[in-house]
Amino acid sequence: MKLLQVTVCLISLILVLPSVFAASSSEDFDFFYFVQQWPGSYCDTQKSCCYPTSGKPAADFGIHGLWPNYKDGTYPSNCDATKPFDSSTISDLISSMKRNWPTLACPSGSGEAFWEHEWEKHGTCSQSVINQHEYFQTSLGLKQKTNLLGALTKAGINPDGNSYSLESIRGSIKASTGFTPWIECNRDGSGNSQLYQVYLCVDRSASGLIECPVFPHGKCGAQIEFPSF
């Protein structure tokens, strides 16, 4: 009888533990990376790009994602398969999403596959703080608040195919936002380093920008191109 009771208890524990770990993983993070990408650099590679079905996006930085992260540089992902992307929950945001969070992946799409990927990989890990609608709404608000292209052009850094110093790019964004960005570069079809993505950090409550506790790995050259789009 005692053996049967122990067996039942062990089976119950095995059944309960996965749900406990799944719940904790969706709550356990330290800050967000808010990542925006320059479409000219996304497209100006050997792989190229495809415009969304709604047409060529504006020549402006587009949102890549809002990513929960740990201070040790690692991050949680795909935290809750029971909360899939549901476009009906963000129906009031769709028009703004198409303008500010466009897809450039091939084949051409509406953007929903991109948004679905970002929510399910990253957004599900932030549900202890923000729900699905708030995740996308917060990201849109952060893009307007940071206005990266405005910060750069104000400093005379224009998407004209010329090269600019990494320090001037970083400094102009910090002067505008008040916080130090991390700059990610990629390479064009000729192998030249170019401005690709800008990372800024957001506090765990998703209420405002902070100085980044840790930066991603990788580095750019001292001079990088800012291609047109």
Side-chain angles (χ1 to χ4, degrees), residues 22-229:
S24 64
S25 66
S26 67
E27 300 176 1
D28 181 23
F29 67 96
D30 299 317
F31 68 99
F32 293 93
Y33 282 130
F34 178 56
V35 186
Q36 299 176 71
Q37 61 187 11
W38 178 247
S41 299
Y42 184 104
C43 294
D44 189 18
T45 63
Q46 291 181 339
K47 189 172 70 172
S48 191
C49 68
C50 293
Y51 297 155
T53 51
S54 56
K56 182 180 179 179
D60 192 7
F61 283 87
I63 298 169
H64 187 167
L66 184 64
W67 304 342
N69 268 258
Y70 300 122
K71 291 180 179 178
D72 66 0
T74 63
Y75 61 89
S77 64
N78 303 101
C79 293
D80 190 353
T82 69
K83 295 291 179 61
F85 175 74
D86 180 2
S87 61
S88 67
T89 66
I90 58 167
S91 58
D92 60 316
L93 304 176
I94 293 295
S95 61
S96 183
M97 297 269 290
K98 288 181 176 180
R99 291 193 307 273
N100 296 289
W101 202 327
T103 179
L104 291 167
C106 296
S108 296
S110 65
E112 287 202 12
F114 184 19
W115 308 331
E116 177 181 23
H117 169 78
E118 290 301 310
W119 166 254
E120 294 183 356
K121 181 176 181 179
H122 301 287
T124 55
C125 301
S126 64
Q127 291 180 100
S128 62
V129 177
I130 46 179
N131 61 33
Q132 189 165 160
H133 185 275
E134 291 166 340
Y135 176 80
F136 291 105
Q137 187 175 48
T138 297
S139 300
L140 291 169
L142 286 167
K143 180 184 183 300
Q144 300 307 312
K145 180 179 181 179
T146 53
N147 187 16
L148 296 181
L149 185 59
L152 292 170
T153 56
K154 182 179 179 181
I157 301 170
N158 300 296
D160 51 14
N162 289 323
S163 292
Y164 298 91
S165 75
L166 175 62
E167 197 56 44
S168 66
I169 291 170
R170 192 160 43 207
S172 64
I173 294 173
K174 182 173 183 178
S176 178
T177 65
F179 297 92
T180 307
W182 189 77
I183 308 299
E184 179 183 357
C185 295
N186 66 358
R187 295 193 177 275
D188 65 16
S190 301
N192 299 309
S193 182
Q194 56 186 4
L195 172 60
Y196 175 40
Q197 297 198 127
V198 176
Y199 292 60
L200 286 162
C201 290
V202 180
D203 64 34
R204 191 183 181 282
S205 65
S207 60
L209 297 174
I210 58 171
E211 286 293 342
C212 290
V214 63
F215 287 128
H217 296 295
K219 60 181 180 180
C220 300
Q223 296 282 323
I224 57 177
E225 290 185 3
F226 192 8
S228 60
F229 179 62

